[in-house]
Every structure is written in C-alpha cells, then in structure tokens.
Amino acid sequence: MSEVKRYSLCAIDELQEPGSKGFELDRGGETLSLFVVRRDNMVHGYINSCPHTGVPLEWVPDQFLDLDGSFIECATHGALFTIKEGKCVSGPCAGDSLQPVRLDVDDGVVYLLGE
C-alpha cells in the first residue's frame, strides 16, 4: 500500500466564494495542471483539461467559472460543467466529465492528495 502524499496548494482564504484558482504542480518531473473551485464553502478540484479537445479551460489565469460563478466554463467553446461533479451539461462534450483530483482542507490549507 503506497503512502498518500499531500501537496500544499493554497490557503482557503485565497479562494473567493465563489472563486477558482489554477496550479501547475511539479510531482517529481511530471507537471500536473489542475484547478480548484470554491463554492458554497466546499472545494472541488479537477485536471485542467477539457474532455472535448484537451485544451486548458481558463479564460485568463485563475478564471474557470462563468460570469455568475455557477458553472465551470471552457474558454475554447463555452462548454459548461457542474462545479460539484464536473459533468458537462452544455456544449460539444455534453455528458462527459472533467477528471477530478482528490483534495483535503486542513487547518485552512487546501492540499492535493496523491501518491
């Protein structure tokens, strides 16, 4: 059984409510592009890759949400994804989902959990 590693991403207070933030994390020679979203005092994380084309999702750095902060929005073609499940509800990849990452919030810090 492998040990679960924790990678510190940011303080929870660095995320607006609702808000999002992107990260490039070096995990021993492998770069992982991901983002986290805070909404309704919950934090959700996903790989930063659209299931339709594989491109990064953000409009500008750290901007992954639509204008009213209700959905994750792909900047390339406007697909909308639910924040809680990452499921595409509108756009060319409807029915597909973003790839989730495991997060933990401990003592006010958001961590990525990995191996």
Side-chain angles (χ1 to χ4, degrees), residues 43-83:
V43 180
H44 306 277
Y46 300 97
I47 299 295
N48 186 7
S49 179
C50 177
H52 179 233
T53 61
V55 298
L57 295 162
E58 69 267 45
W59 296 96
V60 296
D62 300 328
Q63 183 57 49
F64 294 88
L65 300 178
D66 65 350
L67 292 177
D68 67 1
S70 297
F71 293 94
I72 299 164
E73 185 171 15
C74 178
T76 301
H77 49 65
L80 297 176
F81 302 86
T82 62
I83 292 173

Side-chain angles (χ1 to χ4, degrees), residues 11 30 38 49 56 75 104-105 113:
E30 172 194 5
R38 182 178 182 186
S49 179
D104 183 35
V105 179
L113 301 179

